[in-house]
Amino acid sequence: METTILRIEDVAAQAAEIAAAGAILRGGGLVAFPTETVYGLGANGLDAAACAEIYRAKGRPSDNPLILHAADRAMVDRAAREVTPLAEKLFAAFAPGPITLILPKRAEVPPSVTGGLDTVGVRLPESDIARALIRAAGVPIAAPSANLSGRPSPTTAAAVAADLLGRVPLILDGGACRFGLESTIVDCTGDRAVILRPGAITRDMIAAVAGAADFDPAIEKQDAAPRAPGMKYTHYAPKAPLTVLTGERAHLAAAFRREVEKRQDAGETVGLVVSAEMRAALHDLVPPTLMAIYGAQGDLVAMAAHLYEALRYFDDKAVDALLGEGVAPEGLGVAIMNRLEKASGGRRIEA
Ligand code: TXA
Ligand code: MG
């Protein structure tokens, strides 16, 4: 299959191209498109056959449900049977934006889309390209992240192409995604908000609106069974095995130095996913081409935005191992550490 990559600079000026992309979706085809979190691989969310193409293109296990994207609050009602009072509050506060709410599903949503669950994840993306595309399609759009299953989510069109070239007809290129991590997922089926996947909308932000918010135990403990089925798979994994180093900043550089030297002595070529400060501290040990910088220390917004690109940077580098710099698990740091934890399969060194 030939893949077209279409740059979208201006949604209004390119209305005809967006309409054509919407028609592909409506007709059962796939379109990869940017959102403010990560790129999504879209299909008509009410069409089981179209959604089956998503699973095929990604190599995704079929028990891992898709989330549906709506252009406006009215379209949410075509996916969800009921929008609970808790969900109304969260939509009012955070939508459109990087949040997905789990709600009772409508019968019109095929069971294959929700992995047989009687709930559905619904998200109102903020990206103007995403919204225009969904509006043009006229149906809720199922869209997982536009990566091959198990790989880091794509935050640029080039990253989508690296995984899906030849597997999808069309990639809309809207530049780099603003947040860079997938949406916060909140189970809103009960009275109390339960966060199934941490993201840019933090627990404190949700608690401020909902009165309280819990993390699903699986976010904090590796052995608990996750309620977002996708969270159980190895995820976001770079091609070389990643180990995450965490701890007090004062000790972290020394711990990195020890670990790099140990591995280099064993003949390994080591790549680093680190802050600008750590690069400066280790520049005598590791060449600049083997260090991907994901932000300045403490700049969690930049780190979240660049994490997946930093992991993907090493896809075509001959490295035996990657060492990543952890952050304090507070605020947005919870989401960053959650993705690092998954990308590393739990390999961690505490400084
Ligand atoms: O930011 C995002 O959410 C991106 C962009 C493209 O919108 N999408 C995304 O989709 O990250 P995906 O499929 O990669 O992740 C969705 C997660 C999966 O872990 C899935 O298991 C979980 O949501 N999920 C979907 N439906 C669910 C449901 N009914 N109950 C619990 N978890 C659900
Ligand atoms: Mg994904």
Side-chain angles (χ1 to χ4, degrees):
M1 175 187 303
E2 180 129 5
T3 302
T4 302
I5 302 176
L6 181 64
R7 175 79 197 171
I8 304 290
E9 305 279 356
D10 181 332
V11 168
Q14 292 175 274
E17 278 130 311
I18 302 271
I24 292 178
L25 288 171
R26 211 172 33 253
L30 301 183
V31 176
F33 62 97
T35 81
E36 69 279 15
T37 58
V38 300
Y39 275 72
L41 178 59
N44 180 344
L46 304 180
D47 178 344
C51 291
E53 287 298 300
I54 290 181
Y55 288 101
R56 183 196 54 74
K58 280 184 59 101
R60 179 174 172 119
S62 62
D63 66 338
N64 189 5
L66 304 173
I67 61 177
L68 298 192
H69 296 64
D72 50 41
R73 175 62 188 77
M75 199 185 264
V76 170
D77 294 331
R78 296 179 63 186
R81 186 176 74 236
E82 184 199 347
V83 177
T84 60
L86 169 62
E88 290 291 8
K89 278 192 209 166
L90 294 179
F91 272 139
F94 302 120
I99 193 164
T100 297
L101 306 185
I102 304 296
L103 292 165
K105 88 168 187 70
R106 282 185 81 98
E108 288 80 354
V109 179
S112 62
V113 170
T114 60
L117 298 172
D118 57 6
T119 55
V120 62
V122 186
R123 171 158 130 72
L124 283 155
E126 186 187 0
S127 149
D128 59 347
I129 298 176
R131 298 179 73 183
L133 177 67
I134 301 164
R135 211 174 297 117
V139 287
I141 296 300
S145 48
N147 50 279
L148 289 175
S149 192
R151 297 260 301 136
S153 296
T155 55
T156 63
V160 177
D163 279 15
L164 297 182
L165 205 70
R167 291 172 167 258
V168 299
L170 179 61
I171 300 171
L172 299 183
D173 177 0
C177 301
R178 177 147 73 96
F179 292 106
L181 296 181
E182 305 81 354
S183 60
T184 306
I185 300 180
V186 188
D187 183 344
C188 291
T189 54
D191 308 327
R192 212 174 148 94
V194 181
I195 298 170
L196 306 185
R197 180 175 70 184
I201 307 292
T202 64
R203 177 190 189 153
D204 285 351
M205 291 164 74
I206 292 166
V209 171
D214 304 317
F215 282 125
D216 180 48
I219 290 174
E220 283 153 333
K221 278 196 289 146
Q222 286 289 319
D223 51 350
R227 289 172 51 214
M231 301 296 279
K232 72 175 179 261
Y233 299 106
T234 308
H235 247 93
Y236 320 122
K239 288 183 179 166
L242 170 72
T243 302
V244 179
L245 279 75
T246 54
E248 296 286 320
R249 270 187 213 170
H251 306 303
L252 207 50
F256 261 97
R257 185 164 283 279
R258 267 195 309 276
E259 193 60 27
V260 171
E261 283 174 338
K262 188 180 92 188
R263 288 168 183 268
Q264 288 179 341
D265 286 349
E268 288 184 26
T269 301
V270 180
L272 303 181
V273 175
V274 292
S275 64
E277 288 82 351
M278 196 62 75
R279 171 173 62 183
L282 300 173
H283 75 277
D284 58 315
L285 277 186
V286 178
T289 51
L290 294 183
M291 293 203 255
I293 305 311
Y294 78 148
Q297 230 165 32
D299 184 352
L300 298 179
V301 170
M303 289 178 135
H306 300 125
L307 174 59
Y308 289 144
E309 272 304 288
L311 293 175
R312 282 178 175 268
Y313 171 78
F314 290 102
D315 283 354
D316 61 358
K317 305 274 179 301
V319 291
D320 301 302
L322 295 176
L323 299 178
E325 181 176 347
V327 300
E330 284 146 31
L332 183 55
V334 176
I336 294 172
M337 281 309 292
N338 172 263
R339 302 318 192 272
L340 281 171
E341 200 87 25
K342 304 247 171 236
S344 63
R347 274 181 302 273
R348 186 157 164 173
I349 296 171
E350 185 72 41

